[in-house]
Amino acid sequence: MGLRQKIVDSDFYRQMVQRRATGPLRSYYDIPAADPDTPIRNVEFVALDLETTGLDPKHDEIVSIGLVIIRQLAVDFSSCQHLLVRPKKELSESSVIVHRIFDSDVEQAPDIEIALAHILPILAGRVLVAHHAPIELGFLGHACKRYFGASLQIPTVDTLVLALRDLHRQGQPMKSGALKLETLRHTHNLPPYRIHNALSDAIAASGLFLAQIAKRDPKGELELRRVLR
């Protein structure tokens, strides 16, 4: 299937989903998605990361959301947001070890329905940037369907996929750990960062994305469709 046909099919599916959406998700769909023919320098992106209690959206929960907006191929640090989310179940020791978020940290935090109502207007009309985006898309989509009647359809750039394309184009062998966010940032001469913090990870992904774009097209004239997953 060609890229253009995939985008046409995606638009058709978005229209179908929009008819089922309610509340904040319906308002999200009222704003048109970014035009895939737009030069990327004219597109606004939202780099987003989640910390969760596990990897299965059907059984695990979101405990924090970090995001930052990218405008004119520059990170708008004034837009940084870090939201804690109160899960329905107590946090397990195994998840706390990873993200260092404790039950006491989230006991007064909003639940995921309120958190979604806050971030959906930020996502509307923009393009999502994430590293290994199926995690973010899976959790956000599952939560949207549960609370607002439909899944979340959003044009997405996956920095892991861009890195994989680079390796294939260059004919380089795949080394263990080569596609990790911290490894790729090092490859692009970007500084280290604090891992397993949603905002820090979102900022790290935004920096990697901009470095990947700079190698492809420093002027930002590349069409958005060329970097979508």
Side-chain angles (χ1 to χ4, degrees):
M1 182 184 296
L3 179 59
R4 185 174 295 276
Q5 184 61 46
K6 287 176 64 177
I7 292 172
V8 170
D9 292 345
S10 177
D11 289 343
F12 176 73
Y13 185 63
R14 178 186 171 98
Q15 293 171 10
M16 294 179 59
V17 171
Q18 181 177 4
R19 289 195 286 269
R20 298 196 299 268
T22 62
L25 186 62
R26 184 56 185 260
S27 298
Y28 163 86
Y29 280 119
D30 286 340
I31 298 177
D35 185 343
D37 291 324
T38 305
I40 52 177
R41 67 173 179 274
N42 297 330
V43 176
E44 289 199 357
F45 300 85
V46 180
L48 183 144
D49 185 80
L50 305 176
E51 292 299 324
T52 64
T53 60
L55 299 178
D56 185 350
K58 293 182 180 180
H59 301 101
D60 298 311
E61 300 181 81
I62 297 170
V63 292
S64 70
I65 304 170
L67 62 85
V68 63
I69 294 173
I70 302 169
R71 295 186 174 96
Q72 294 290 313
L73 293 180
V75 179
D76 179 4
F77 286 100
S78 68
S79 70
C80 287
Q81 295 194 39
H82 185 219
L83 290 75
L84 292 175
V85 180
R86 185 179 71 253
K88 295 187 179 300
K89 297 179 290 187
E90 288 188 359
L91 298 173
S92 67
E93 182 179 351
S94 58
S95 68
V96 170
I97 289 174
V98 174
H99 49 59
R100 297 294 179 181
I101 296 173
F102 297 87
D103 289 308
S104 57
D105 296 322
V106 295
E107 62 183 358
Q108 299 299 323
D111 62 22
I112 186 59
E113 183 177 1
I114 294 174
L116 285 173
H118 176 77
I119 69 168
L120 283 171
I122 300 173
L123 296 176
R126 296 188 169 107
V127 176
L128 180 70
V129 172
H131 192 72
H132 191 37
I135 296 294
E136 279 68 31
L137 293 173
F139 274 90
L140 293 177
H142 182 76
C144 282
K145 190 170 184 178
R146 178 176 182 179
Y147 292 102
F148 305 127
S151 61
L152 175 67
Q153 299 297 310
I154 183 170
T156 302
V157 176
D158 191 332
T159 51
L160 186 152
V161 172
L162 293 184
L164 192 58
R165 291 175 187 172
D166 288 341
L167 289 175
H168 286 167
R169 185 173 60 252
Q170 297 162 8
Q172 296 182 6
M174 179 71 69
K175 297 180 180 179
S176 177
L179 296 178
K180 290 184 177 180
L181 180 54
E182 57 266 36
T183 302
L184 290 168
R185 282 181 58 86
H186 178 74
T187 300
H188 287 80
N189 297 314
L190 297 170
Y193 68 101
R194 177 188 172 191
I195 64 173
H196 296 310
N197 172 276
L199 179 55
S200 178
D201 284 349
I203 294 172
S206 71
L208 175 59
F209 167 66
L210 293 177
Q212 291 171 320
I213 293 302
K215 284 193 172 183
R216 284 168 166 75
D217 177 20
K219 294 183 179 180
E221 296 175 351
L222 193 69
E223 294 175 341
L224 172 62
R225 68 172 69 247
R226 301 302 175 186
V227 297
L228 293 175
R229 64 190 289 271

